[in-house]
Coordinates of all heavy atoms in Angstrom, one line a residue:
M1 N 0.8 -1.2 0.0 CA 0.0 0.0 0.0 C 0.9 1.2 0.0 O 1.5 1.6 1.0 CB -0.9 0.0 1.3 CG -2.0 -1.0 1.2 SD -3.3 -0.5 -0.1 CE -4.3 -1.9 0.0
S2 N 0.9 1.9 -1.1 CA 1.7 3.1 -1.2 C 1.1 4.1 -2.2 O 0.5 3.7 -3.2 CB 3.1 2.7 -1.6 OG 3.7 3.7 -2.5
T3 N 1.2 5.3 -1.9 CA 0.7 6.3 -2.7 C 1.7 6.9 -3.6 O 1.5 7.8 -4.4 CB 0.0 7.5 -1.9 OG1 1.0 8.0 -1.0 CG2 -1.2 7.0 -1.2
V4 N 2.9 6.4 -3.5 CA 4.0 6.9 -4.4 C 3.7 6.4 -5.8 O 3.3 5.3 -6.0 CB 5.4 6.2 -3.9 CG1 6.5 6.7 -4.8 CG2 5.7 6.6 -2.5
T5 N 3.9 7.4 -6.7 CA 3.6 7.1 -8.1 C 4.8 6.2 -8.7 O 5.7 6.8 -9.4 CB 3.4 8.3 -8.9 OG1 4.5 9.2 -8.6 CG2 2.1 9.0 -8.7
D6 N 4.7 5.0 -8.4 CA 5.7 4.1 -8.9 C 5.2 3.4 -10.2 O 4.4 2.5 -10.2 CB 6.0 3.0 -7.9 CG 7.2 2.1 -8.3 OD1 7.8 2.5 -9.4 OD2 7.5 1.1 -7.7
T7 N 5.6 4.0 -11.3 CA 5.0 3.5 -12.6 C 5.9 2.4 -13.2 O 5.6 1.8 -14.2 CB 5.0 4.6 -13.6 OG1 6.2 5.2 -13.8 CG2 4.0 5.7 -13.2
R8 N 7.0 2.1 -12.5 CA 7.9 1.1 -13.1 C 7.3 -0.3 -13.4 O 7.6 -0.8 -14.5 CB 9.2 1.0 -12.2 CG 10.3 0.4 -12.9 CD 11.5 0.3 -12.0 NE 12.2 -1.0 -12.2 CZ 13.0 -1.3 -13.2 NH1 13.2 -0.4 -14.1 NH2 13.5 -2.5 -13.3
P9 N 6.6 -0.9 -12.4 CA 6.0 -2.2 -12.8 C 5.1 -2.1 -14.0 O 5.1 -3.1 -14.8 CB 5.1 -2.5 -11.5 CG 5.8 -1.7 -10.4 CD 6.3 -0.4 -11.1
V10 N 4.4 -1.0 -14.2 CA 3.5 -0.9 -15.3 C 4.3 -0.8 -16.6 O 4.0 -1.5 -17.6 CB 2.6 0.4 -15.2 CG1 1.7 0.5 -16.4 CG2 1.7 0.3 -13.9
V11 N 5.3 0.1 -16.5 CA 6.2 0.3 -17.7 C 6.8 -1.1 -18.1 O 6.9 -1.4 -19.2 CB 7.3 1.3 -17.4 CG1 8.4 1.3 -18.4 CG2 6.7 2.7 -17.2
L12 N 7.2 -1.8 -17.1 CA 7.9 -3.1 -17.3 C 7.0 -4.1 -17.9 O 7.3 -4.8 -18.8 CB 8.4 -3.6 -15.9 CG 9.7 -4.5 -16.0 CD1 10.8 -3.7 -16.7 CD2 10.1 -4.8 -14.6
R13 N 5.7 -4.1 -17.4 CA 4.8 -5.0 -18.0 C 4.5 -4.7 -19.4 O 4.4 -5.6 -20.3 CB 3.5 -5.0 -17.2 CG 2.6 -6.2 -17.4 CD 1.2 -6.1 -16.8 NE 0.6 -4.9 -17.3 CZ -0.3 -4.2 -16.6 NH1 -0.6 -4.5 -15.4 NH2 -0.9 -3.2 -17.2
E14 N 4.3 -3.4 -19.7 CA 4.0 -3.0 -21.1 C 5.1 -3.4 -22.0 O 5.0 -3.8 -23.1 CB 3.7 -1.5 -21.1 CG 2.4 -1.1 -20.5 CD 1.2 -1.8 -21.1 OE1 1.1 -1.7 -22.3 OE2 0.4 -2.4 -20.4
A15 N 6.3 -3.1 -21.5 CA 7.5 -3.3 -22.3 C 7.7 -4.8 -22.6 O 8.0 -5.2 -23.7 CB 8.8 -2.8 -21.6
S16 N 7.4 -5.6 -21.6 CA 7.6 -7.1 -21.8 C 6.6 -7.6 -22.8 O 6.9 -8.5 -23.5 CB 7.5 -7.8 -20.4 OG 6.2 -7.7 -19.9
L17 N 5.4 -7.0 -22.8 CA 4.4 -7.4 -23.7 C 4.8 -7.0 -25.2 O 4.5 -7.8 -26.1 CB 3.0 -6.8 -23.4 CG 2.2 -7.6 -22.3 CD1 1.0 -6.8 -21.9 CD2 1.8 -8.9 -22.9
T18 N 5.4 -5.9 -25.3 CA 5.8 -5.4 -26.6 C 6.9 -6.4 -27.1 O 6.9 -6.8 -28.3 CB 6.4 -4.0 -26.5 OG1 5.4 -3.1 -26.1 CG2 6.9 -3.6 -27.9
I19 N 7.8 -6.8 -26.2 CA 8.9 -7.7 -26.6 C 8.3 -9.1 -26.9 O 8.7 -9.7 -27.9 CB 9.9 -7.7 -25.5 CG1 10.6 -6.4 -25.4 CG2 11.0 -8.8 -25.8 CD1 11.5 -6.2 -24.2
C20 N 7.4 -9.6 -26.1 CA 6.9 -10.9 -26.2 C 6.0 -11.0 -27.4 O 5.9 -12.1 -28.0 CB 6.2 -11.3 -24.9 SG 6.1 -13.1 -24.7
G21 N 5.3 -9.9 -27.7 CA 4.4 -9.9 -28.8 C 3.0 -9.7 -28.2 O 2.5 -10.6 -27.5
R22 N 2.4 -8.6 -28.6 CA 1.0 -8.4 -28.1 C 0.0 -9.2 -28.9 O 0.1 -9.4 -30.1 CB 0.7 -6.9 -28.2 CG 1.4 -6.0 -27.2 CD 1.1 -4.6 -27.5 NE 2.0 -3.7 -26.7 CZ 1.8 -3.4 -25.5 NH1 0.7 -3.8 -24.9 NH2 2.6 -2.6 -24.8
R23 N -1.0 -9.6 -28.1 CA -2.0 -10.4 -28.7 C -3.3 -10.2 -27.9 O -3.3 -9.9 -26.7 CB -1.6 -11.9 -28.6 CG -2.4 -12.9 -29.5 CD -1.8 -14.3 -29.4 NE -1.9 -14.8 -28.0 CZ -1.0 -15.4 -27.4 NH1 0.2 -15.5 -27.9 NH2 -1.2 -15.9 -26.2
E24 N -4.4 -10.3 -28.6 CA -5.7 -10.1 -27.9 C -5.8 -11.0 -26.7 O -5.7 -12.2 -26.9 CB -6.8 -10.4 -29.0 CG -8.2 -10.1 -28.5 CD -8.6 -8.7 -28.7 OE1 -8.1 -8.1 -29.6 OE2 -9.4 -8.2 -27.9
G25 N -6.1 -10.5 -25.5 CA -6.4 -11.3 -24.4 C -5.1 -11.7 -23.6 O -5.1 -12.3 -22.6
K26 N -3.9 -11.4 -24.2 CA -2.7 -11.7 -23.5 C -2.3 -10.6 -22.5 O -2.3 -9.4 -22.8 CB -1.6 -11.8 -24.6 CG -0.2 -12.2 -24.0 CD 0.7 -12.5 -25.2 CE 2.1 -12.7 -24.8 NZ 3.0 -13.1 -25.9
T27 N -2.1 -11.0 -21.3 CA -1.9 -10.0 -20.2 C -0.5 -10.0 -19.7 O -0.1 -9.1 -19.0 CB -2.9 -10.2 -19.1 OG1 -2.8 -11.5 -18.6 CG2 -4.3 -9.9 -19.5
R28 N 0.2 -11.1 -19.9 CA 1.6 -11.1 -19.4 C 2.5 -11.8 -20.4 O 2.2 -12.8 -21.1 CB 1.7 -11.6 -18.0 CG 1.4 -13.0 -17.8 CD 1.7 -13.3 -16.3 NE 3.0 -12.9 -15.9 CZ 3.9 -13.8 -15.4 NH1 3.6 -15.0 -15.3 NH2 5.1 -13.4 -15.0
A29 N 3.8 -11.3 -20.3 CA 4.8 -11.9 -21.2 C 5.4 -13.1 -20.5 O 5.2 -13.4 -19.3 CB 5.9 -10.9 -21.4
C30 N 6.1 -13.9 -21.3 CA 6.8 -15.1 -20.7 C 8.0 -14.6 -19.9 O 8.5 -13.4 -20.0 CB 7.3 -16.0 -21.8 SG 8.5 -15.4 -22.9
N31 N 8.6 -15.5 -19.1 CA 9.7 -15.1 -18.2 C 10.9 -14.6 -18.9 O 11.6 -13.6 -18.5 CB 10.1 -16.3 -17.3 CG 9.1 -16.5 -16.2 OD1 8.4 -15.6 -15.8 ND2 9.0 -17.7 -15.7
S32 N 11.2 -15.2 -20.1 CA 12.3 -14.8 -20.8 C 12.2 -13.3 -21.3 O 13.1 -12.5 -21.3 CB 12.5 -15.7 -22.0 OG 13.0 -15.1 -23.1
C33 N 11.0 -13.0 -21.8 CA 10.7 -11.6 -22.2 C 10.6 -10.6 -21.1 O 11.0 -9.5 -21.2 CB 9.5 -11.6 -23.1 SG 9.7 -12.4 -24.7
L34 N 10.2 -11.1 -19.9 CA 10.2 -10.2 -18.7 C 11.7 -9.8 -18.4 O 11.9 -8.7 -18.1 CB 9.6 -11.0 -17.5 CG 8.1 -10.8 -17.4 CD1 7.6 -11.7 -16.3 CD2 7.7 -9.4 -17.1
R35 N 12.6 -10.8 -18.5 CA 14.0 -10.5 -18.2 C 14.5 -9.5 -19.2 O 15.2 -8.6 -18.9 CB 14.8 -11.8 -18.2 CG 14.9 -12.4 -16.8 CD 16.0 -13.4 -16.8 NE 15.9 -14.4 -17.8 CZ 15.2 -15.6 -17.6 NH1 14.6 -15.8 -16.5 NH2 15.1 -16.4 -18.6
K36 N 14.2 -9.7 -20.5 CA 14.7 -8.8 -21.5 C 14.1 -7.4 -21.4 O 14.8 -6.5 -21.6 CB 14.2 -9.4 -22.9 CG 15.0 -10.6 -23.3 CD 14.4 -11.1 -24.7 CE 15.1 -12.4 -25.1 NZ 14.5 -12.9 -26.3
A37 N 12.8 -7.4 -21.0 CA 12.2 -6.1 -20.7 C 12.9 -5.3 -19.6 O 13.1 -4.1 -19.8 CB 10.7 -6.3 -20.4
D38 N 13.3 -6.0 -18.6 CA 13.9 -5.4 -17.5 C 15.2 -4.7 -18.0 O 15.5 -3.5 -17.7 CB 14.2 -6.4 -16.4 CG 14.8 -5.8 -15.1 OD1 14.1 -4.8 -14.7 OD2 15.8 -6.2 -14.6
A39 N 16.0 -5.4 -18.7 CA 17.2 -4.9 -19.3 C 17.0 -3.8 -20.2 O 17.7 -2.7 -20.2 CB 18.0 -6.0 -19.9
A40 N 16.0 -3.9 -21.1 CA 15.7 -2.9 -22.1 C 15.2 -1.6 -21.5 O 15.6 -0.6 -21.9 CB 14.6 -3.5 -23.1
V41 N 14.3 -1.7 -20.5 CA 13.8 -0.5 -19.9 C 14.9 0.2 -19.2 O 15.0 1.4 -19.3 CB 12.7 -0.9 -18.9 CG1 12.3 0.3 -18.0 CG2 11.4 -1.3 -19.6
R42 N 15.8 -0.5 -18.5 CA 16.9 0.1 -17.8 C 17.8 0.9 -18.8 O 18.2 2.0 -18.6 CB 17.7 -0.9 -17.1 CG 17.9 -0.5 -15.6 CD 18.6 -1.6 -14.8 NE 17.9 -2.8 -14.8 CZ 18.5 -4.0 -14.5 NH1 19.8 -4.1 -14.3 NH2 17.8 -5.1 -14.5
M43 N 18.0 0.2 -20.0 CA 18.8 0.8 -21.0 C 18.2 2.0 -21.6 O 18.8 3.1 -21.8 CB 19.0 -0.3 -22.1 CG 20.2 0.0 -23.0 SD 20.3 -1.3 -24.2 CE 21.4 -2.5 -23.3
A44 N 16.9 1.9 -21.9 CA 16.2 3.0 -22.6 C 16.0 4.2 -21.7 O 15.8 5.3 -22.2 CB 14.8 2.5 -23.1
T45 N 16.0 4.0 -20.4 CA 15.8 5.2 -19.5 C 17.1 5.7 -18.9 O 17.1 6.6 -18.1 CB 14.8 4.8 -18.3 OG1 15.3 3.6 -17.7 CG2 13.4 4.5 -18.8
E46 N 18.2 5.2 -19.5 CA 19.5 5.7 -19.0 C 19.9 6.8 -20.0 O 20.1 6.6 -21.2 CB 20.5 4.5 -19.1 CG 21.9 4.9 -18.9 CD 22.2 5.6 -17.6 OE1 22.0 4.9 -16.6 OE2 22.6 6.7 -17.6
P47 N 19.9 8.1 -19.5 CA 20.1 9.3 -20.3 C 21.4 9.2 -21.0 O 21.6 9.8 -22.1 CB 20.1 10.4 -19.3 CG 19.4 9.9 -18.1 CD 19.7 8.4 -18.1
S48 N 22.4 8.6 -20.5 CA 23.8 8.7 -21.1 C 23.9 7.7 -22.3 O 24.9 7.7 -23.0 CB 24.8 8.3 -20.0 OG 24.7 7.0 -19.7
L49 N 22.8 6.9 -22.5 CA 22.9 6.0 -23.6 C 22.1 6.4 -24.8 O 21.5 5.5 -25.5 CB 22.4 4.6 -23.1 CG 23.4 3.8 -22.3 CD1 22.7 2.5 -21.8 CD2 24.6 3.5 -23.0
N50 N 22.1 7.7 -25.1 CA 21.3 8.1 -26.2 C 21.8 7.6 -27.6 O 21.1 7.4 -28.5 CB 21.2 9.6 -26.2 CG 19.8 10.0 -25.6 OD1 18.8 9.4 -25.8 ND2 19.8 11.1 -24.8
T51 N 23.1 7.6 -27.7 CA 23.7 7.2 -29.0 C 23.6 5.7 -29.1 O 23.9 5.0 -28.2 CB 25.1 7.7 -29.1 OG1 25.8 7.4 -27.9 CG2 25.2 9.2 -29.4
A52 N 23.2 5.3 -30.3 CA 23.2 3.9 -30.6 C 22.3 3.1 -29.7 O 22.5 1.9 -29.5 CB 24.6 3.3 -30.6
L53 N 21.3 3.8 -29.2 CA 20.4 3.1 -28.3 C 19.5 2.0 -29.0 O 19.3 0.9 -28.5 CB 19.5 4.1 -27.6 CG 18.5 3.6 -26.5 CD1 19.2 2.8 -25.4 CD2 17.7 4.7 -25.9
L54 N 19.1 2.4 -30.2 CA 18.2 1.5 -30.9 C 18.9 0.1 -31.2 O 18.3 -0.9 -30.9 CB 17.7 2.2 -32.2 CG 16.5 1.5 -32.9 CD1 15.3 1.3 -31.9 CD2 16.1 2.2 -34.1
P55 N 20.1 0.2 -31.8 CA 20.7 -1.1 -32.1 C 21.0 -1.9 -30.8 O 20.9 -3.1 -30.8 CB 22.0 -0.7 -32.7 CG 22.1 0.7 -32.8 CD 20.8 1.3 -32.4
R56 N 21.3 -1.2 -29.7 CA 21.6 -2.0 -28.5 C 20.3 -2.6 -27.9 O 20.3 -3.7 -27.5 CB 22.1 -1.0 -27.4 CG 23.5 -0.5 -27.7 CD 24.0 0.1 -26.4 NE 25.0 1.1 -26.7 CZ 25.8 1.5 -25.7 NH1 25.7 1.0 -24.5 NH2 26.8 2.4 -26.0
L57 N 19.2 -1.8 -28.0 CA 17.9 -2.4 -27.6 C 17.5 -3.6 -28.4 O 17.1 -4.6 -27.9 CB 16.8 -1.3 -27.7 CG 16.5 -0.4 -26.5 CD1 15.4 0.5 -26.9 CD2 16.1 -1.2 -25.3
A58 N 17.7 -3.4 -29.7 CA 17.3 -4.5 -30.6 C 18.1 -5.8 -30.3 O 17.6 -6.9 -30.3 CB 17.5 -4.1 -32.1
D59 N 19.4 -5.5 -29.9 CA 20.3 -6.6 -29.6 C 19.8 -7.3 -28.3 O 19.8 -8.6 -28.2 CB 21.7 -6.1 -29.5 CG 22.7 -7.2 -29.6 OD1 22.5 -8.1 -30.4 OD2 23.8 -7.1 -29.0
V60 N 19.5 -6.5 -27.3 CA 19.0 -7.1 -26.0 C 17.7 -7.9 -26.3 O 17.6 -9.0 -25.7 CB 18.7 -6.0 -25.0 CG1 17.9 -6.5 -23.9 CG2 20.0 -5.4 -24.5
I61 N 16.8 -7.4 -27.1 CA 15.5 -8.0 -27.3 C 15.8 -9.3 -28.1 O 15.2 -10.4 -27.8 CB 14.6 -7.1 -28.1 CG1 14.2 -5.9 -27.2 CG2 13.3 -7.9 -28.5 CD1 13.5 -4.8 -27.9
C62 N 16.6 -9.3 -29.0 CA 16.9 -10.5 -29.9 C 17.7 -11.5 -29.2 O 17.6 -12.7 -29.4 CB 17.5 -10.0 -31.2 SG 17.3 -11.2 -32.5
G63 N 18.6 -11.0 -28.3 CA 19.5 -11.9 -27.7 C 20.6 -12.3 -28.6 O 21.3 -13.3 -28.5
S64 N 20.8 -11.5 -29.6 CA 21.8 -11.8 -30.6 C 23.1 -11.1 -30.2 O 23.1 -10.3 -29.4 CB 21.4 -11.2 -32.0 OG 21.3 -9.8 -31.9
A65 N 24.2 -11.5 -30.8 CA 25.4 -10.9 -30.5 C 25.8 -9.8 -31.5 O 26.7 -10.0 -32.3 CB 26.5 -12.0 -30.4
G66 N 25.0 -8.8 -31.5 CA 25.3 -7.7 -32.4 C 24.6 -7.7 -33.7 O 24.7 -6.9 -34.6
H67 N 23.8 -8.8 -34.0 CA 23.1 -8.9 -35.2 C 21.6 -9.2 -35.0 O 21.1 -10.3 -35.4 CB 23.7 -10.0 -36.1 CG 25.1 -9.7 -36.4 ND1 25.5 -8.7 -37.3 CD2 26.2 -10.2 -35.9 CE1 26.8 -8.7 -37.4 NE2 27.3 -9.6 -36.5
P68 N 20.8 -8.2 -34.5 CA 19.4 -8.5 -34.2 C 18.7 -8.6 -35.6 O 19.0 -8.0 -36.6 CB 18.9 -7.2 -33.5 CG 20.0 -6.2 -33.8 CD 21.3 -6.9 -34.0
C69 N 17.6 -9.5 -35.5 CA 16.8 -9.7 -36.7 C 15.8 -8.6 -36.9 O 15.6 -7.8 -36.0 CB 16.1 -11.1 -36.5 SG 14.8 -11.1 -35.3
P70 N 15.3 -8.5 -38.1 CA 14.4 -7.4 -38.4 C 13.2 -7.3 -37.5 O 12.7 -6.2 -37.1 CB 13.9 -7.7 -39.9 CG 15.0 -8.6 -40.4 CD 15.5 -9.4 -39.3
A71 N 12.6 -8.4 -37.0 CA 11.5 -8.4 -36.1 C 11.9 -7.7 -34.8 O 11.1 -6.9 -34.3 CB 11.0 -9.8 -35.8
C72 N 13.1 -7.9 -34.3 CA 13.5 -7.3 -33.1 C 13.9 -5.9 -33.2 O 13.7 -5.1 -32.3 CB 14.6 -8.1 -32.5 SG 14.1 -9.8 -32.0
W73 N 14.3 -5.5 -34.4 CA 14.5 -4.1 -34.7 C 13.2 -3.3 -34.6 O 13.1 -2.2 -34.0 CB 15.0 -3.9 -36.1 CG 16.5 -3.9 -36.3 CD1 17.2 -5.0 -36.8 CD2 17.4 -2.9 -35.9 NE1 18.5 -4.6 -36.7 CE2 18.7 -3.4 -36.2 CE3 17.3 -1.6 -35.4 CZ2 19.9 -2.6 -36.0 CZ3 18.4 -0.9 -35.2 CH2 19.7 -1.4 -35.5
E74 N 12.2 -4.0 -35.1 CA 10.8 -3.4 -35.1 C 10.3 -3.2 -33.7 O 9.8 -2.2 -33.3 CB 9.9 -4.2 -35.9 CG 8.8 -3.5 -36.7 CD 8.2 -4.3 -37.7 OE1 8.8 -4.6 -38.8 OE2 7.0 -4.8 -37.4
K75 N 10.5 -4.3 -32.9 CA 10.1 -4.3 -31.5 C 10.9 -3.2 -30.7 O 10.3 -2.5 -29.9 CB 10.3 -5.6 -30.8 CG 9.4 -6.7 -31.3 CD 9.7 -8.0 -30.6 CE 8.9 -9.1 -31.2 NZ 9.3 -10.4 -30.7
A76 N 12.1 -3.1 -31.0 CA 13.0 -2.1 -30.3 C 12.5 -0.7 -30.6 O 12.4 0.2 -29.8 CB 14.4 -2.2 -30.7
T77 N 12.1 -0.4 -31.9 CA 11.6 0.9 -32.3 C 10.3 1.2 -31.6 O 10.2 2.3 -31.1 CB 11.4 0.9 -33.8 OG1 12.5 0.4 -34.5 CG2 11.0 2.3 -34.3
T78 N 9.4 0.2 -31.5 CA 8.1 0.4 -30.9 C 8.4 0.7 -29.4 O 7.8 1.6 -28.8 CB 7.3 -0.9 -31.0 OG1 7.2 -1.2 -32.3 CG2 5.9 -0.7 -30.4
L79 N 9.3 -0.1 -28.8 CA 9.5 0.1 -27.4 C 10.1 1.4 -27.0 O 9.7 2.1 -26.1 CB 10.6 -1.0 -27.0 CG 10.7 -1.3 -25.5 CD1 9.4 -1.9 -24.9 CD2 11.8 -2.3 -25.3
L80 N 11.0 1.9 -27.9 CA 11.6 3.2 -27.6 C 10.6 4.3 -27.7 O 10.5 5.2 -26.9 CB 12.7 3.4 -28.7 CG 13.8 4.3 -28.3 CD1 14.4 3.9 -27.0 CD2 14.9 4.4 -29.4
L81 N 9.7 4.2 -28.7 CA 8.6 5.2 -28.8 C 7.7 5.2 -27.6 O 7.3 6.2 -27.1 CB 7.8 4.9 -30.1 CG 8.4 5.2 -31.4 CD1 7.6 4.7 -32.6 CD2 8.7 6.7 -31.5
E82 N 7.4 4.0 -27.1 CA 6.6 3.8 -25.9 C 7.2 4.4 -24.7 O 6.6 5.1 -23.9 CB 6.2 2.4 -25.7 CG 5.2 1.8 -26.7 CD 5.0 0.3 -26.5 OE1 5.7 -0.3 -25.7 OE2 4.2 -0.2 -27.2
L83 N 8.5 4.1 -24.5 CA 9.2 4.5 -23.3 C 9.5 6.0 -23.3 O 9.6 6.6 -22.2 CB 10.5 3.7 -23.2 CG 10.3 2.2 -22.9 CD1 11.6 1.5 -22.9 CD2 9.7 2.0 -21.5
R84 N 9.7 6.5 -24.5 CA 10.1 7.9 -24.5 C 8.9 8.9 -24.8 O 9.1 10.1 -25.0 CB 11.2 8.2 -25.6 CG 12.5 7.5 -25.3 CD 13.4 8.4 -24.5 NE 14.5 7.7 -23.9 CZ 15.8 7.8 -24.3 NH1 16.0 8.5 -25.3 NH2 16.7 7.2 -23.7
A85 N 7.8 8.3 -24.8 CA 6.6 9.1 -25.1 C 6.3 10.1 -24.0 O 6.6 9.8 -22.8 CB 5.4 8.2 -25.3
Ligands
ZN1 ZN1 8.1 -14.0 -24.6
ZN2 ZN1 15.3 -11.2 -33.1

């Protein structure tokens, strides 16, 4: 019970759904995407990481070693728009 405006859990849930893939009736992402969302949100809200943020985000989401696939590029773009809105 707290009146503090802690939006982080909400942000995290939304981000994880974006990463996992949104679907009608789907309310939570899988554990793997939850972990990715945690890393991605931390990255995206870190002001010092403005340069090359998108490729890094895509990489975290894809779990690739520097070569994210097109689908994850798209997710990273969506995520960034959501987080920086
Ligand atoms: Zn998932
Ligand atoms: Zn990918």
Side-chain angles (χ1 to χ4, degrees):
M1 285 292 174
S2 145
T3 52
V4 178
T5 46
D6 186 8
T7 56
R8 198 179 139 76
V10 178
V11 169
L12 210 55
R13 197 190 59 211
E14 291 300 308
S16 65
L17 276 171
T18 299
I19 294 171
C20 202
R22 285 176 193 275
R23 200 175 61 226
E24 186 84 30
K26 182 168 170 176
T27 53
R28 69 176 305 240
C30 67
N31 284 336
S32 146
C33 291
L34 272 173
R35 270 198 302 274
K36 289 177 183 177
D38 188 50
V41 167
R42 233 176 298 159
M43 198 179 273
T45 51
E46 171 61 63
S48 67
L49 282 178
N50 260 322
T51 48
L53 183 57
L54 193 58
R56 286 193 206 201
L57 266 183
D59 200 33
V60 163
I61 293 170
C62 199
S64 63
H67 301 283
C69 71
C72 292
W73 272 104
E74 216 166 283
K75 287 176 186 175
T77 309
T78 307
L79 196 65
L80 206 55
L81 287 174
E82 286 173 356
L83 290 172
R84 294 274 166 107

